[in-house]
Structures are given as structure tokens and as C-alpha cells.
Amino acid sequence: MASSSSLSPPKVPKELYFINREKVLNSLRQHLTETSRPLHGFVLLQGGEEQTRYCTDHLELFRQESYFAYLFGVREPGFYGAIVSSFCFFVIAAKYVYIYCLVGENKAIILLSGDYNEKYMVNMVYYTDEIVGVLQGHYKEPGKPLLFLLHGLNTDSNNFSKPAQFEGMEKFETELNTLHPILSECRVFKSDHELALIQFANDISSEAHVEERFKAIELDNPMQTQSVYISRVLPSFLSACAVLHYGHAAAPNDRTFEDGDMALLDMGAEYQFYGSDITCSFPVNGKFTSDQSLIYNAVLKAHNAVINAMKPGVCWVDMHKLAEKIILESLKKGGVMVGNVDEMMAARLGAVFMPHGLGHFLGIDTHDPGGYPKVITVEPGCYFIDALLVPAMENESTSKFFNHEVIGRFKDFGGVRIESDVLVTANGSKNMTSVPREISDIEAIMAGAPWPSNKTAPSNS
């Protein structure tokens, strides 16, 4: 197994962010028309800022605010960005104002040395203390210019996006309720340019997952395994590389691997803001036991069934129920559960073994904004968690479904999760993730076999 990637990153076209901005502008215009509101105003966003570690001068690693990255592709901190209804686009830096002129005579006025002009399609440059005059000069309506600002709740973090602020804002009328839902919905639907970046993130992440599995037998703990991954890719989120999710944010992966453990690696790479999110589960010693095979194949069967069933118009709740039912059926076949599976489903026993959602949206953020599922993860799991199992096994109405003697063997099992990134197409779906999933392939890889193997991978599209 090679220790360096042979993959070549795709070129990021400037059109990517132009398409994103045009999509938002068109959606905003449609919304204003449908609600009988005037078609004027500016979309204004504030980019991310550099942060220091508490009171020190140590700079934390900067990553651009996601909505700003989606519209402008600017990697540096300290920028603002505005979209004007006349199809002029602004990017405003901490020191300069950069204006995109996309209609009319497109003359480049270069007042700044460096590579900003070419990198961000800059035509003209202003100082930020001129921002009020610049915006007012492009506003042709009576009264204060209207600013549509980004403000909305992220239901995963329970935090609100930050509305842009600058000196002189009292000279503008601000609107906080319109932009966030429109911009979030636009982010759900991916262009071909975005899909190319997500695919590359999947490719390099898949390659890194295979490398980790190849080296897992030689490593003593999850931190070492995680370091193999980070040495190859830029992670898109805090990686989980452990026996299930072990530890906490300050020490997420500090449990030592033991012979017989099932490792769960939940990691994804990021490229040009766009990410991937892949989970692999495997025995750290390279060989599945019969119990490990039972649980792993139950989850894999659910994973494959959902991907094969995904297409436009399919209800995601039905997909979640499908995954739960397949896992319960496998547990019954393996002697872990007894009784009628439909009755188990009615009693919500599927949630005892899979106490999380089936998947989430993916894009610039690992958990991208809600809406219609275009690119989405599929990640069923089966876990043995005392806090959930014990109450269900002691409950008068659900105790009868458990084979109490057999389930005791899984007390220290942990769990299995299998996660792939899936593109919903017009006719079905396409799995963008390429890692070994079958037990025979996993054991072969961990024994030193190459990947991809000579087998032809099945298509889900």
C-alpha cells in the first residue's frame, strides 16, 4: 500500500462561486416577487475572523465561515461580501473593498498588488471606510438602502449565524428574516462543480481510510491511527477514531486498542471547503469473529438496502425505518432477538440499537443545511449501549423480545456503523465513497492485499 496519494486534485473553476451567487440572487428575486415586495436591496455577509486561543496571541487555525465560502470562495479572514441586484458583486476585505462587475463593460482597474485580482475576479478596489458611500452609490431607490443580512438558527449547534456589522450601519435599513432560509436551501442543491469537489474529497478520504485499515494491526491506539489519516488529508471535522465514540472533545481518541476490539473510524477529508464524511468499522486484529460478523453484516445489509432504494420522491423516514427493520431481522436471525419484528418496530426497539438519525446533508459543512436531500450520508449503525438496553430489557412490554442469555455476549461489544456519501440522481443514487465494505475484502486489505481489488464494484446509480 502506497503511503502517498496518486490522486490529482481537480481545478476549482471561478464559475463555481458565480453560479452559487446567481442561484441565491434568482431565489431571492423569486421570493420577493411572490411576496409582493420590491426588487431592490443588497445581500451582505461578513466572513470569518481570526481567533486567538483565549487571551494569548496564539492564532487558531482559520477556516472561512461556510455561507461566505459558498458565495465567494475567499479563504482569508476579515472579509465582507455583498451581492447587488444589478448583478454587481462585491467582496470587501478588512483593508480593501473588492468589486465584481458582471454586466456591462468589464474593465479591470487594478489598484492592489498581489494575486487577489486573478484569484477572486477583482475589477475595482476601494478602502473599507468608503463602504457606506459605495453601497449608497449603487442604490437607486428613495430612502435608506436595504441590506439583507444573514441571521438564522443552526439546529445542530443551537447557535445563530452572525449578521454582518460595520461602522455606519445606521444609514441602512436591515432585514434579518429572509436571507437565511433562501441561502440554506440553495446550498442543498449542488452544481456539477460542487459535486466534483465533494467527489475528490471522498476519493482522498476513501484512500486514507484504506491506508489506516492497512496499518491498524501495527498501531496501538486510536490517536496513532488518527495521525495516519491527518498526515494524508485535511479533516472536515473532529474525527472519531476509536472503539465507538470514546472520550470527549479534549481527548476524543485516547483508549488503547485491545485484541478483539471493533474499531469505528468516522472521518472525512475536506477540499476547497467541500467535505466528505465516511465511517468504517472493522476488527483491529484483522479477523472478524462470528459475533462481529453478525452485527457487521446486519448494518451492511441495511446500508446497501437504503442506497439501492434511494431516489427522488422517496421518504427519508421510510428509509430510516427500512434500516431499523433490516437490523432487527438480522438480530433475530442471529438469535439476539426473538419474536415478531413488526411488533419490535411498533415498540421502537430499532432506536435501542440505532439511537441516531440515518444520515445528514453534506457539502461545505459536514452537517449541511436542511432541505431536499441531494447529497446525503447513509450511516446505519447497531450498538450495544447499557443505558438503552437495560431499560428495554427490564420493561414489561419489551423484555420478551430479547434473548437475555445471548445478548450478554455483546456487553462489551461497542457497535458498528457504516457510512457512505450518496448522491441522489434523477433515476436513483450513486455512492461516492469507495472503501472495502464486504468482510472478505476488509480481511484481505488488513492482510496486505491491494485496493481496489480486481472485483467490479456494483453500481447504485
Side-chain angles (χ1 to χ4, degrees), residues 113-359:
S113 61
D115 63 352
Y116 285 109
N117 340 82
E118 176 65 22
K119 184 160 55 175
Y120 299 133
M121 298 169 63
V122 172
N123 291 86
M124 290 175 284
V125 180
Y126 296 85
Y127 288 102
T128 49
D129 59 9
E130 298 178 278
I131 182 173
V132 173
V134 169
L135 292 177
Q136 287 178 331
H138 280 79
Y139 195 75
K140 307 304 181 183
E141 305 294 329
K144 290 183 177 181
L146 174 62
L147 300 179
F148 292 98
L149 304 181
L150 186 68
H151 181 66
L153 177 66
N154 183 315
T155 55
D156 288 332
S157 66
N158 224 24
N159 294 327
F160 283 87
S161 53
K162 178 184 176 183
Q165 293 187 353
F166 62 91
E167 189 174 347
M169 286 197 70
E170 69 279 358
K171 298 179 181 180
F172 297 84
E173 180 185 350
T174 58
E175 209 274 15
L176 297 175
N177 300 316
T178 299
L179 182 58
H180 188 270
I182 289 175
L183 186 46
S184 296
E185 181 72 10
C186 287
R187 280 178 58 182
V188 173
F189 294 86
K190 271 64 177 182
S191 68
D192 289 342
H193 295 311
E194 291 178 292
L195 290 175
L197 300 183
I198 294 173
Q199 183 62 69
F200 181 72
N202 263 271
D203 291 343
I204 57 176
S205 186
S206 295
E207 190 178 69
H209 268 280
V210 173
E211 176 77 2
E212 281 183 315
R213 232 178 292 193
F214 177 72
K215 292 188 174 181
I217 295 177
E218 307 170 8
L219 304 176
D220 295 326
N221 60 65
M223 289 296 288
Q224 291 177 322
T225 307
Q226 185 182 28
S227 68
V228 172
Y229 186 86
I230 293 175
S231 70
R232 297 177 63 95
V233 302
L234 172 64
S236 60
F237 57 95
L238 177 62
S239 303
C241 178
V243 181
L244 204 52
H245 280 287
Y246 183 84
H248 51 81
N253 302 312
D254 61 353
R255 182 189 184 280
T256 301
F257 283 142
E258 297 177 4
D259 188 33
D261 280 342
M262 282 289 292
L264 188 155
L265 275 59
D266 185 352
M267 291 178 278
E270 177 178 301
Y271 178 69
Q272 295 293 328
F273 302 121
Y274 287 85
S276 59
D277 187 5
I278 300 171
T279 303
C280 298
S281 300
F282 57 90
V284 297
N285 62 12
K287 289 289 184 180
F288 283 82
T289 66
S290 59
D291 282 346
Q292 289 171 342
S293 296
L294 167 63
I295 305 306
Y296 183 87
N297 281 331
V299 177
L300 181 62
K301 187 176 181 181
H303 167 274
N304 293 346
V306 168
I307 294 177
N308 287 331
M310 288 173 66
K311 61 181 179 181
V314 169
C315 176
W316 193 239
V317 174
D318 291 341
M319 294 296 94
H320 188 108
K321 291 178 179 178
L322 173 64
E324 285 188 351
K325 187 171 185 178
I326 288 175
I327 290 171
L328 288 172
E329 288 173 343
S330 298
L331 293 177
K332 177 183 176 180
K333 186 176 180 180
V336 179
M337 305 294 286
V338 294
N340 185 281
V341 172
D342 288 334
E343 292 179 9
M344 296 180 204
M345 289 288 292
R348 295 297 296 123
L349 290 184
V352 172
F353 294 97
M354 191 173 80
H356 59 69
L358 178 62

Side-chain angles (χ1 to χ4, degrees), residues 12 14-21 69-73 273:
V12 182
K14 298 171 186 174
E15 292 81 8
L16 188 158
Y17 306 107
F18 169 76
I19 291 171
N20 290 348
R21 293 192 295 264
Y70 173 77
L71 290 176
F72 299 105
F273 302 121

Side-chain angles (χ1 to χ4, degrees), residues 382-416:
C382 182
Y383 318 91
F384 294 83
I385 305 169
D386 283 345
L388 299 176
L389 276 172
V390 171
M393 293 172 67
E394 293 178 349
N395 186 287
E396 208 172 280
S397 61
T398 55
S399 176
K400 62 184 179 181
F401 295 112
F402 294 90
N403 187 331
H404 292 250
E405 182 178 346
V406 172
I407 208 167
R409 299 205 309 261
F410 295 87
K411 179 176 176 58
D412 298 318
F413 183 90
V416 168

Side-chain angles (χ1 to χ4, degrees), residues 187-188 190 198 202 236 274-277 360-369 375-377 421-422 432:
R187 280 178 58 182
V188 173
K190 271 64 177 182
I198 294 173
N202 263 271
S236 60
Y274 287 85
S276 59
D277 187 5
H360 53 81
F361 298 102
L362 179 72
I364 284 183
D365 286 323
T366 306
H367 295 172
D368 231 29
V375 176
I376 195 167
T377 69
D421 301 339
V422 180
M432 305 177 80

